[in-house]
């Protein structure tokens, strides 16, 4: 960053002191639960009529050392104040393996959920990074019509934020593990920012 700054004028770096806000209700679950290992979010929180809605991902316990460490499920939580959160028992998917869960049938790492733009046949659009094949009883392809055609970035649409339909049958981008989807209402366009790995000269970089 400092090297890039030498070519810029009128740009200043400022790092204000961060203040950690308390958040309750999103802790990892007990051993054997769907979110026993990790609970994480990349920023998908929408406020609708006073209700805070969050789409995030979690990780269950690893069954063995051979398991892919990026074994994740998509989850949903809600709050009245953005501080105290609930993991509702949605009863949508995965009830045989994890009774009482707040899972939604959205495969992979759910990275962004945005309100759909005018002219889109949905209320929400989501972007995910899918690494593993579909999970039995979680992302059942016969029940939900999901398809896995290799790892990468996929787009999804929903009318309620719980049940999703697949917009891209093939991955849009096959590299990268973090992204941000933005709905630009001024231009009525969706903008996708996707982290990629690349080699510049002899240096490995992420962009």
């Amino acid at each position: 960053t400092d090297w890039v700054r030498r070519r810029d004028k009128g740009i200043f770096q400022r790092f204000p002191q961060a203040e950690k806000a308390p958040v309750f209700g999103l802790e990892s679950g007990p051993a054997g639960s769907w979110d026993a290992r990790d609970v994480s979010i990349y920023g998908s929180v929408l406020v609708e009529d006073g209700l805070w809605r969050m789409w995030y991902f979690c990780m269950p316990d690893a069954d063995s050392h051979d398991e892919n460490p990026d074994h994740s499920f998509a989850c949903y939580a809600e709050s009245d104040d953005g501080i105290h959160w609930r993991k509702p028992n949605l009863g949508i998917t995965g009830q045989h393996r994890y009774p009482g869960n707040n899972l939604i049938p959205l495969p992979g790492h759910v990275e962004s959920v945005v309100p759909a733009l005018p002219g889109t046949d949905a209320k929400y659009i989501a972007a995910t990074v899918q690494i593993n094949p579909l999970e039995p009883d979680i992302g059942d392809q016969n029940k939900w019509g999901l398809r896995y055609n290799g790892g990468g970035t996929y787009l999804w649409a929903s009318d309620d934020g719980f049940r999703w339909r697949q917009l891209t049958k093939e991955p849009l981008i096959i590299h990268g593990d973090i992204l941000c989807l933005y709905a630009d209402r001024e231009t009525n366009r969706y903008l996708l920012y996707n982290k990629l790995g690349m080699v510049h000269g002899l240096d490995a970089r992420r962009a």
Side-chain angles (χ1 to χ4, degrees), residues 74-96:
C75 304
Y76 171 85
E78 56 189 28
S79 170
D80 297 319
D81 57 10
I83 297 176
H84 301 87
W85 291 85
R86 301 179 294 274
K87 301 178 184 178
N89 177 8
L90 298 177
I92 297 176
T93 190
Q95 293 295 320
H96 296 296

Side-chain angles (χ1 to χ4, degrees), residues 28-206:
S28 297
S33 64
W34 59 96
D35 57 357
R37 181 158 46 123
D38 184 39
V39 173
S40 185
I41 180 175
Y42 283 95
S44 296
V45 177
L46 302 177
V47 182
E48 300 176 343
D49 299 323
L51 180 66
W52 296 61
R53 309 187 69 192
M54 177 189 293
W55 291 264
Y56 64 101
F57 70 84
C58 68
M59 293 185 181
D61 286 325
D63 294 328
S64 70
H65 292 290
D66 297 328
E67 182 179 313
N68 189 320
D70 287 321
H71 180 196
S72 64
F73 300 139
C75 304
Y76 171 85
E78 56 189 28
S79 170
D80 297 319
D81 57 10
I83 297 176
H84 301 87
W85 291 85
R86 301 179 294 274
K87 301 178 184 178
N89 177 8
L90 298 177
I92 297 176
T93 190
Q95 293 295 320
H96 296 296
R97 293 170 62 183
Y98 305 111
N101 69 67
N102 63 326
L103 299 176
I104 56 177
L106 196 57
H109 295 249
V110 54
E111 305 272 341
S112 293
V113 175
V114 299
L117 292 171
T120 304
D121 185 23
K123 185 176 181 180
Y124 306 99
I125 300 296
T128 66
V129 173
Q130 195 168 345
I131 299 174
N132 298 315
L134 299 174
E135 286 278 344
D137 190 41
I138 306 293
D140 188 281
Q141 67 182 77
N142 294 322
K143 181 177 180 180
W144 302 107
L146 309 180
R147 295 292 181 271
Y148 175 76
N149 291 311
T153 299
Y154 288 82
L155 294 181
W156 311 82
S158 175
D159 298 320
D160 59 7
F162 301 122
R163 297 161 181 82
W164 296 83
R165 56 186 181 275
Q166 194 167 349
L167 294 180
T168 53
K169 303 302 181 183
E170 304 287 339
L172 293 176
I173 301 171
I174 60 174
H175 198 286
D177 60 350
I178 297 176
L179 61 85
C180 177
L181 178 66
Y182 177 68
D184 188 348
R185 298 196 172 275
E186 291 189 6
T187 63
N188 202 46
R189 296 189 305 167
Y190 295 101
L191 306 178
L192 179 65
Y193 301 89
N194 206 108
K195 187 189 82 176
L196 300 176
M198 61 184 68
V199 176
H200 181 74
L202 299 178
D203 296 327
R205 295 182 176 181
R206 299 186 303 176

